[in-house]
Amino acid sequence: LPMCGVVGGGVGIWNDALDASFAFKTLLAPNVPLQLVHITNPGVNLQTAEVVLAGAQATPQGRARLALVAALGDIPGWYATGSPEPAQNDFTARELNQFAWAQNVDLPFQFAFRAELEFRAGGNPSWNTGVDYKEQLDHSNSKAEVAALYKQAGLDLEKDLDTLNHAPRIAADPGATNYLVQNITFDGNLQIPVLTMHTTGDGLVPVENEQAYAQVVREAGQSALLRETFVHRAGHCAFTPAETITALQNLIQRIDTGKWGNTDAAVLNGEAAGFGLLNILPPAFMDYRPARYLRPFDRRAGDEN
């Protein structure tokens, strides 16, 4: 029962993070001593990034570029657990939520916590060689938001994408990549039933991880063993006790009977509602299909870009 899991794999999620931090530095801090990899002083590096972030959020041009950074990192426009999701065309509100994710969650991972990973891996495991950032934006859920905010700010989106595509790239240290391949990537060859849960507004482990996992399981011919469930809520692992027990009971039923029950959202919400006070928020299972994961990598097929 992977809950809000990094089911796109370690290599993929850190490459995703590198794309976001690469755009952040290239477009917002080209002359600032901000380290993307081989980070030597995580605390100072994060402080530097936070100053750049605050300055960017203060101008329309900076907010437009932060929206592009978020789009390349699959960061949702919904932050506070228990709040309603902003409308898909409320680009101002969605960017503000992405800023909150960056400030409170994602920048610490990108510009500080990466150093701990590099220490264990023996180098930098991530790369963006060969990445076409125009193509990445085309596949992002936030493409319309980015285009609208760039237009409002009077910026040329194509010019910024060209800047990203022509900027010097970052190569990985092969030994470090191998460490991250081992810890961990997936080949999809399931041997037991797996039921995943993911909040749709997860800015730490984006819900698009589920698309990557379903694809590799499908390519391994094991889709019959997988069910993916989604909860329409902001936050990382923001599940109620009732939703968690509902998912677990459905997995146990599959183990006991050899068949999946009905895991449609309406059915799951009805089951969760029966747990009374364990519903600290209203049940929020939803039928959902995540967008394409932007930097897929799996143990069986290797780099998909």
Side-chain angles (χ1 to χ4, degrees), residues 121-133:
N124 163 43
S126 307
W127 69 93
N128 67 347
T129 50
V131 176
D132 183 337
Y133 286 106

Side-chain angles (χ1 to χ4, degrees), residues 114-152:
R114 179 182 279 276
E116 193 272 339
L117 171 64
E118 292 181 338
F119 175 78
R120 283 185 290 111
N124 163 43
S126 307
W127 69 93
N128 67 347
T129 50
V131 176
D132 183 337
Y133 286 106
K134 291 184 180 180
E135 181 179 345
Q136 295 296 88
L137 182 59
D138 280 342
H139 293 297
S140 171
N141 263 343
S142 299
K143 180 181 179 181
E145 174 195 333
V146 174
L149 294 181
Y150 262 76
K151 184 176 180 180
Q152 291 176 17

Side-chain angles (χ1 to χ4, degrees), residues 47-292:
Q47 285 182 332
T48 302
E50 294 281 8
V51 170
V52 173
L53 177 70
Q57 187 65 17
T59 70
Q61 293 77 19
R63 291 192 291 272
R65 287 176 168 139
L66 287 176
L68 176 57
V69 169
L72 295 175
D74 276 329
I75 306 306
W78 191 14
Y79 177 74
T81 300
S83 69
E85 181 177 12
Q88 290 297 319
N89 62 354
D90 189 349
F91 302 131
T92 299
R94 297 187 75 84
E95 188 280 330
L96 184 60
N97 279 269
Q98 290 163 339
F99 166 75
W101 276 114
Q103 183 179 54
N104 298 310
V105 178
D106 294 301
L107 257 62
F109 275 87
Q110 293 166 10
F111 294 105
F113 303 160
R114 179 182 279 276
E116 193 272 339
L117 171 64
E118 292 181 338
F119 175 78
R120 283 185 290 111
N124 163 43
S126 307
W127 69 93
N128 67 347
T129 50
V131 176
D132 183 337
Y133 286 106
K134 291 184 180 180
E135 181 179 345
Q136 295 296 88
L137 182 59
D138 280 342
H139 293 297
S140 171
N141 263 343
S142 299
K143 180 181 179 181
E145 174 195 333
V146 174
L149 294 181
Y150 262 76
K151 184 176 180 180
Q152 291 176 17
L155 287 177
D156 187 336
L157 177 56
E158 289 299 315
K159 182 178 179 181
D160 272 4
L161 290 170
D162 283 338
T163 297
L164 289 177
N165 275 346
H166 290 94
R169 299 307 178 90
I170 295 170
D173 301 319
T177 301
N178 185 62
Y179 171 88
L180 203 50
V181 167
Q182 300 301 318
N183 298 284
I184 187 170
T185 52
F186 301 97
D187 63 9
N189 189 25
L190 301 184
Q191 301 297 309
I192 58 174
V194 174
L195 188 150
T196 71
M197 290 181 71
H198 222 115
T199 42
T200 58
D202 188 342
L204 176 60
V205 182
V207 68
E208 287 82 5
N209 273 261
E210 300 287 347
Q211 183 274 327
Y213 191 57
Q215 178 174 324
V216 70
V217 170
R218 181 169 58 252
E219 291 173 352
Q222 298 295 339
S223 292
L225 286 171
L226 176 66
R227 285 294 181 275
E228 293 183 323
T229 62
F230 301 94
V231 172
H232 186 235
R233 187 174 296 126
H236 176 63
C237 278
F239 309 117
T240 67
E243 290 160 350
T244 301
I245 294 172
T246 296
L248 179 59
Q249 285 190 338
N250 274 268
L251 180 59
I252 292 172
Q253 177 184 337
R254 170 62 178 80
I255 294 169
D256 287 345
T257 67
K259 296 180 180 180
W260 291 106
N262 187 338
T263 55
D264 290 347
V267 174
L268 296 178
N269 284 329
E271 294 173 3
F275 289 107
L277 294 178
L278 294 181
N279 290 281
I280 57 177
L281 292 168
F285 286 102
M286 75 177 302
D287 296 318
Y288 184 80
R289 184 172 183 176
R292 170 177 164 174

Side-chain angles (χ1 to χ4, degrees), residues 5-21:
V6 186
V7 290
V11 174
I13 201 164
W14 282 102
N15 274 344
D16 217 24
L18 179 61
D19 284 344
S21 58

